[in-house]
């Protein structure tokens, strides 16, 4: 049955779904939450929980990346942020936290992010994470990747993330600017690469064919993003994840057994969203606003992305998220609020146990219903 609808005589659209429009179906079998595993593996690295900290200055500092690593997840440091531009970003983050006026905050952020990225700070920040004994991951945008890759690899990164609002395997650059050849880049790199975002079956399939170890799913759908308002582009996450999971299945056959991990990135504000992302086919999730609510988060109760201080077209906002609980309680509980903002993994375990599944890959087969809002 086609899911196309008619917008008008000259235009048809595809019906797609957000997390709010779907629910998970209980099965005839249940189990104790203690019998559930939330572990996942990408390349040679195994993690106890399917959570990546988004490379955003309000979410991940070297210290919070280390803390998330010790909780069993993976913190990804923004290698174009304040941590690689300034010697003492803590003082600058404290200054930003005191600015309540949005326009003043944007002006000050533009000044702070105009400072050049310093290779020695990339080395030092990643070295700090490595010395703590956790998996080291850093992220660059596509247009910065070629410039700083050697620095990042020499610093000893374990996983490299190329993250933008959208990343394609076929990018057309203006004259005089050499586009990133993603397939050649990944082939020549010595570490596994996670790349994204992608929001459609075809774009994800192209990225998988470049040799990426993982594909991020999403396009400007995060809490701090205004891409939908400024550019009119939107990718409802339930459908986007299911489409990319379908590309993963087809690429598994096409490649003769090479599995590419699907990582949901954006629109994951509550534990219920995290759970539905896995149910739709995600192997793991990348969290921004959900972790920015930690009391030790560098944003100090505020959350923003790279788009918020863009020099000519901001597509994000610096938004207040407050401080809900320490990072350990947001991830593993106990929760003291019933709104899905804390004990994310406890909720995932409970949902898996309630529907009778013991592992994440099994839980991707859970039944889903669509409920009209």
């Amino acid at each position: 049955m086609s899911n196309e609808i008619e917008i008008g005589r000259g235009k048809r659209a595809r019906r797609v779904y957000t997390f709010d429009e779907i629910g998970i179906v209980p099965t005839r079998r249940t189990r104790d939450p203690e019998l559930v595993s939330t572990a996942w593996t990408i390349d040679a690295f195994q993690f106890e929980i399917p959570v990546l900290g988004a490379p955003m200055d309000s979410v991940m500092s070297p210290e919070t990346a280390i803390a998330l690593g010790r909780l069993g997840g993976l913190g990804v440091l923004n290698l174009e942020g304040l941590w690689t531009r300034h010697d003492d970003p803590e003082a600058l983050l404290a200054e930003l936290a005191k600015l309540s006026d949005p326009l003043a905050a944007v002006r000050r952020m533009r000044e702070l992010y105009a400072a050049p990225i310093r290779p020695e700070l990339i080395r030092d920040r990643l070295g700090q994470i490595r010395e703590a004994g956790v998996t080291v991951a850093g992220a660059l945008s596509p247009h910065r990747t070629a410039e700083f890759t050697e620095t990042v690899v020499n610093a000893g990164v374990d996983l490299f993330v190329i993250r933008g609002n959208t990343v394609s395997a076929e990018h057309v650059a203006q004259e005089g600017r050499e586009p990133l050849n993603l397939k050649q880049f990944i082939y020549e790199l010595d570490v596994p690469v996670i790349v994204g975002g992608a929001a459609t079956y075809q774009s994800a399939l192209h990225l998988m064919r470049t040799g990426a170890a993982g594909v991020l799913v999403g396009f400007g759908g995060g809490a701090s993003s205004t891409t939908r308002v400024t550019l009119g582009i939107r990718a409802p996450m339930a459908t986007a994840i299911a489409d990319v999971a379908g590309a993963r299945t087809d690429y598994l056959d096409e490649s003769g057994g090479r599995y590419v991990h699907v990582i949901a990135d954006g629109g994951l504000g509550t534990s219920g969203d995290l759970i539905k992302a896995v149910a739709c086919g995600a192997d793991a999730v990348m969290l921004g606003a959900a972790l920015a609510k930690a009391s030790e988060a560098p944003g100090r109760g505020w959350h923003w992305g790279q788009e918020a201080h863009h020099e000519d077209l901001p597509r994000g906002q610096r938004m207040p998220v407050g401080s809900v609980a320490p990072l350990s309680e947001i991830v593993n509980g106990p929760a003291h609020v019933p709104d899905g903002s804390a004990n994310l993994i406890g909720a995932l375990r409970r949902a898996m146990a309630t529907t009778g599944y013991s592992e994440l890959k099994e839980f991707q087969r859970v039944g889903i219903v669509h409920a009209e809002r």
Side-chain angles (χ1 to χ4, degrees), residues 329-353:
E329 291 186 14
I330 285 181
V331 174
N332 289 324
H336 301 290
V337 289
D339 60 3
S341 62
N343 199 3
L344 304 178
I345 300 305
L348 175 60
R349 287 180 179 276
R350 178 70 61 177
M352 292 172 66

Side-chain angles (χ1 to χ4, degrees), residues 6 29 42 86 102 105-106 132 190-191 253 294 304 364:
E6 186 177 278
R29 179 183 291 120
I42 181 168
H86 299 278
V106 169
D190 291 330
V191 299
D253 293 336
W304 67 90
Q364 292 174 350

Side-chain angles (χ1 to χ4, degrees), residues 175-200:
E175 187 176 352
R177 179 183 294 176
E178 185 69 23
L180 176 66
N181 185 326
L182 197 56
K183 187 170 186 177
Q184 179 181 347
F185 173 82
I186 292 176
Y187 177 78
E188 294 175 352
L189 204 62
D190 291 330
V191 299
V193 177
I194 298 171
V195 61
T200 66

